[in-house]
Amino acid sequence: MDVHITLKGRGDLAAQVYRQLLDAILDGRLRSGERLPPTRELARRLEISRNTVAVAYDRLVADGFLVGRAGAGTFVSAEPVRGRAAPKGVVRPRAFWREVEAPKAMQGARYDFRVGVPDPRLFPMETWRRLVARELRVSAAAYNRPSGYEPLREAISRHIGISRSVHAGPDDVLITNGAQQALDLIGRVLIEPGTCVAVEEPGYPPARLLFRSLGARVAGVPVDAEGIDVRAIPRAARIVYVTPSHQFPLGTPMSLARRAALLAWAERRRAVVIEDDYDSEFRFGERPLEPLQSLDRAGRVIYVGSFSKTLLPMLRLGFLVAPASLAPALRAAKQLSDWHSDVPTQAALARFIDEGLLARHIRKATREYAARHAMIAETLAGDERLLLIPSTAGLHLCARLAPGVSVRPVPGLAVESLEAYCGESPAQPGVVLGYGEITRDDIPEGLRRLRMAAAPEAAGPLP
């Protein structure tokens, strides 16, 4: 282990070496069992006598912090007893970042209805391990192209062309670390301080916060049963972020008429539409409507997708398809951001798609999620306190609360509030029920607890 030691002056050098090694041990920078450099080597690096270093080592051995092993060297023998915190400092972040709360760790619950969490038990982990292990052996060690691993771009262009009718070739696909990085790259390329970005209300909070962090002026636009209200989009908006296939979080699809109106609006206003097609693979009912990207004839739609919900969140792989006029800037932004996404993971995903394993996994997962979706919908059908919003896709359902009803905390039950998805507009009382994590066996009891929790303030629990 290389140890950084700084000597000042020509005073008691052995004491300086002793004190700095002791601090490193107590701080935990040198851990129990780690080997220190030989006295001769450390003395040479510090340009002092070997005897000076030996004196420091001997004191630490005598104090019980080091131990010498014949023929092996000198090792740390003590566990750290305290940690050294970074300086508090006086530098302050921009005002926006003083308003944003640090992410909180997700706390699981027995009856877990959190949103956006797929079931890892459905994922073919052993198959994935085999693919990744193979790519770790054969993938090139050099830097890759910012746009992503070419076979994966080819596989994605085929996949979204077949499954979603998206018009894109391999050169139109840019691989990202999830949908969130895709939105970040788009924002870096298109947003200037003060740019007006319209978002759905209620909508996806991380997108709203991301655009604000880049200096945008974010405007919430109401959503009704047909999707975003195009007439309510501010004239100043230059970017519109929408989730047309499965509105987040309400779950309703944008009607074909509303899609046409949004594209016409973007053409008139010379604006850009960001289409986030999250959860589009999991559909349980009618055939999905055409994506905005496939209806776009003017090149104003940027299509964003992700494999985080389809496969596993830990993979952090997504993609975007942009008009050719934006492609060079987006590739440059990706290179400046992190150069490229993990190559072995990209290569493994390319094989996963090409060998038909993705399609097989989606079919299997869709059957399971459809069963969970049906259980929740059937249980809450006709409930007078939890008014279910119809949805036929994705990993969650949404229910509005009847007037005068609120949801009280219940031990062991994790449910998200619809209010959390509202920006500056009046909050909409309701709950969002994810079913990616909870099992079918636990859904009935979880919903019973939810129905007990959803009651008028003056009323007792439901029987």
Side-chain angles (χ1 to χ4, degrees):
M1 170 66 68
D2 289 334
V3 184
H4 179 76
I5 294 176
T6 302
L7 301 179
K8 299 179 180 179
R10 304 303 298 177
D12 190 343
L13 298 181
Q16 293 187 49
V17 174
Y18 168 85
R19 172 51 56 186
Q20 292 184 49
L21 288 175
L22 178 61
D23 285 346
I25 294 170
L26 295 178
D27 290 344
R29 288 176 282 140
L30 285 174
R31 296 174 295 178
S32 178
E34 289 190 316
R35 182 176 182 274
L36 267 66
T39 55
R40 186 186 305 277
E41 178 184 330
L42 185 57
R44 178 182 56 78
R45 291 199 338 240
L46 297 177
E47 297 182 347
I48 58 177
S49 73
R50 181 184 179 187
N51 185 60
T52 299
V53 176
V55 169
Y57 278 25
D58 289 343
R59 286 183 59 187
L60 289 167
V61 170
D63 292 343
F65 293 103
L66 297 181
V67 60
R69 299 174 187 169
T74 305
F75 298 82
V76 177
S77 61
E79 294 289 349
V81 297
R82 61 179 169 86
R84 176 183 294 173
K88 291 185 177 180
V90 296
V91 182
R92 304 291 292 172
R94 289 192 290 116
F96 168 83
W97 294 107
R98 295 198 292 271
E99 300 171 6
V100 177
E101 294 185 6
K104 295 182 176 62
M106 289 188 177
Q107 299 296 325
R110 169 65 187 275
Y111 306 103
D112 192 347
F113 289 101
R114 287 175 301 154
V115 176
V117 184
D119 191 340
R121 293 160 295 199
L122 301 177
F123 185 68
M125 187 62 74
E126 290 304 317
T127 299
W128 181 256
R129 286 197 185 101
R130 173 177 58 79
L131 293 173
V132 172
R134 173 178 178 176
E135 295 305 332
L136 285 172
R137 293 193 297 268
V138 303
S139 294
Y143 285 115
N144 198 250
R145 296 171 60 182
S147 55
Y149 184 63
E150 186 171 358
L152 178 57
R153 292 187 287 110
E154 293 173 351
I156 289 175
S157 67
R158 289 192 300 271
H159 171 67
I160 60 179
I162 295 171
S163 64
R164 298 294 292 126
S165 298
V166 171
H167 301 158
D171 291 340
D172 301 316
V173 176
L174 189 150
I175 306 301
T176 63
N177 294 319
Q180 194 70 9
Q181 189 189 39
L183 299 180
D184 181 63
L185 297 178
I186 295 168
R188 290 169 184 252
V189 168
L190 295 178
I191 292 175
E192 296 179 350
T195 297
C196 182
V197 178
V199 299
E200 297 168 324
E201 189 67 75
Y204 185 52
R208 182 188 300 116
L209 289 172
L210 174 62
F211 297 142
R212 285 185 56 205
S213 75
L214 295 173
R217 179 166 53 89
V218 176
V221 181
V223 174
D224 59 25
E226 292 192 72
I228 193 169
D229 185 351
V230 177
R231 297 169 300 178
I233 300 176
R235 290 177 59 86
R238 291 295 171 265
I239 300 173
V240 183
Y241 170 77
V242 290
T243 53
S245 296
H246 180 232
Q247 201 281 327
F248 191 88
L250 299 181
T252 52
M254 186 184 296
S255 69
L256 185 58
R258 196 63 64 84
R259 294 172 188 235
L262 178 58
L263 291 174
W265 181 91
E267 178 66 10
R268 289 196 308 272
R269 306 305 305 172
R270 298 182 179 180
V272 172
V273 177
I274 303 174
E275 178 179 18
D276 189 344
D277 203 25
Y278 82 104
D279 285 356
S280 61
E281 293 86 355
F282 303 126
R283 303 202 67 84
F284 322 126
E286 72 279 358
R287 179 178 173 82
L289 295 172
E290 296 294 313
L292 290 168
Q293 196 271 354
S294 65
L295 300 174
D296 178 28
R297 296 293 181 267
R300 296 198 169 274
V301 174
I302 304 176
Y303 182 89
V304 173
S306 172
F307 295 98
S308 296
K309 307 298 186 296
T310 313
L311 303 178
L312 289 175
M314 71 176 185
L315 296 183
R316 301 310 306 148
L317 278 179
F319 62 93
L320 64 83
V321 176
S325 58
L326 291 175
L330 288 166
R331 287 194 291 267
K334 172 66 176 175
Q335 184 168 13
L336 290 175
S337 175
D338 65 354
W339 201 289
H340 60 75
S341 300
D342 178 73
V343 176
T345 304
Q346 291 184 72
L349 181 55
R351 290 190 176 276
F352 194 77
I353 296 173
D354 287 340
E355 294 178 10
L357 299 172
L358 175 62
R360 184 187 308 170
H361 169 67
I362 290 174
R363 287 193 298 270
K364 174 185 175 182
T366 299
R367 287 193 296 269
E368 176 60 30
Y369 293 141
R372 299 179 194 181
H373 176 281
M375 289 183 70
I376 297 173
E378 291 168 6
T379 301
L380 298 183
D383 194 295
E384 296 180 353
R385 298 173 181 178
L386 295 163
L387 310 176
L388 197 65
I389 299 174
S391 173
T392 58
L395 291 176
H396 71 267
L397 282 161
C398 192
R400 298 189 190 277
L401 296 179
V405 174
S406 62
V407 175
R408 296 188 289 271
V410 174
L413 178 67
V415 177
E416 297 187 25
S417 168
L418 179 57
E419 288 93 331
Y421 295 90
C422 299
E424 299 177 358
S425 63
Q428 302 182 36
V431 292
V432 188
L433 301 169
Y435 45 82
E437 180 69 14
I438 192 166
T439 65
R440 275 189 268 177
D441 290 341
D442 286 335
I443 286 177
E445 176 61 19
L447 292 178
R448 188 189 71 82
R449 295 188 180 210
L450 174 62
R451 295 179 71 239
M452 289 178 62
E457 293 296 334
L462 294 174

